[in-house]
Amino acid sequence: MGARKKTGILISGRGSNMQALVKAARDPAFPAEIVVVISNRASASGLDFAKAEGIATEVVDHKAHASREAFDAELDAALKRHGAELVACAGFMRIMTEGFVQRWRDRMINIHPSLLPAYKGLHTHERALADKVTRHGCSVHFVRSDVDSGPLIAQASVPVLKSDTPETLAARVLDAEHKIYPRALAVVASGAVRVEGETLVAAKPGLHIPLTIP
Ligand code: GRF
């Protein structure tokens, strides 16, 4: 096995997806190692979990920076200080500058609670229920400057029940997120995929991209 890819995780809140990545990376055979968890909010509860795991944490407060550029420059510096080679956004609620996105192009991934390209943006569960769709889910993709777009790495779909509320649907999707995000990070970190233009292609025979669950 080659060296594990040093990965920084960006969060803004509870960080349950970050926890799923950290737990997967406890296995020394997992191809990524989590070197830092960075939050833009000091009160993000996810930071406590990361600290308890012995992972370095940083707070880069967007309110303490005069511009998006200044905030992103500090974020970039924090990632570099910890030697990050990959970035995984996990409920990170800041829009990034074009410059930051370009610097991390094809090395930064995000998880979004919908079957992209459907329901980009916020309130995905409410919108899926309003449309009476029968399947909903989550996607992991490389980050581009257009929000919630970029080459798809993995998708997991779940049924939508007639009795669902936004909360029950969100919980079902979140379970799927916790399964799919570690798998997506693993294929990226292991070099099993590469980006050609705006499409992701499998670099290993027999691998179907995007990964799908179930
Ligand atoms: C998740 O639903 C994720 O898809 C979205 O924000 C939520 C973050 O939850 N981007 P958590 O902080 O990972 O628990």
Side-chain angles (χ1 to χ4, degrees):
M1 193 184 78
R4 305 172 79 200
K5 283 272 186 209
K6 294 184 169 42
T7 302
I9 305 181
L10 306 184
I11 65 169
S12 296
R14 71 187 159 181
S16 70
N17 278 291
M18 174 272 293
Q19 293 189 26
L21 296 180
V22 167
K23 286 176 189 164
R26 282 177 185 157
D27 178 353
F30 192 77
E33 113 177 67
I34 310 306
V35 290
V36 65
V37 173
I38 305 176
S39 172
N40 63 305
R41 291 177 51 235
S43 60
S45 57
L47 290 171
D48 298 332
F49 173 86
K51 281 184 198 142
E53 288 282 317
I55 295 171
T57 61
E58 300 245 9
V59 175
V60 181
D61 182 355
H62 59 280
K63 293 201 206 92
H65 293 80
S67 64
R68 279 192 196 279
E69 284 72 19
F71 171 73
D72 283 1
E74 182 53 37
L75 207 54
D76 195 52
L79 287 162
K80 292 209 172 108
R81 267 200 302 281
H82 293 276
E85 301 164 281
L86 294 175
V87 179
C89 303
F92 184 63
M93 301 300 284
R94 302 300 300 166
I95 304 218
M96 292 151 172
T97 58
E98 174 74 28
F100 185 85
V101 171
Q102 282 306 329
R103 263 197 301 290
W104 289 95
R105 189 183 169 91
D106 300 340
R107 296 187 297 142
M108 177 158 61
I109 64 178
N110 179 49
I111 187 154
H112 180 74
S114 78
L115 294 171
L116 290 172
Y119 308 121
K120 296 177 180 181
L122 298 174
H123 309 300
T124 59
H125 310 303
E126 286 85 344
R127 287 153 64 205
L129 286 176
D131 286 348
K132 301 193 184 331
V133 295
T134 56
R135 306 288 302 180
H136 184 45
C138 50
S139 308
V140 181
H141 62 96
F142 279 104
V143 174
R144 296 289 184 261
S145 18
D146 285 345
V147 173
D148 301 327
S149 49
L152 279 176
I153 304 159
Q155 289 192 309
S157 97
V158 301
V160 180
L161 308 182
K162 287 213 162 57
S163 56
D164 268 331
T165 63
E167 292 72 31
T168 58
L169 182 55
R172 193 174 309 117
V173 171
L174 194 64
D175 260 359
E177 293 184 41
H178 298 161
K179 293 192 183 89
I180 206 168
Y181 209 3
R183 289 181 55 179
L185 176 59
V187 294
V188 171
S190 66
V193 291
R194 64 170 184 274
V195 186
E196 283 181 4
E198 282 307 294
T199 310
L200 200 63
V201 295
K204 294 199 172 147
L207 182 68
H208 295 283
I209 297 295
L211 300 176
T212 49
I213 300 177

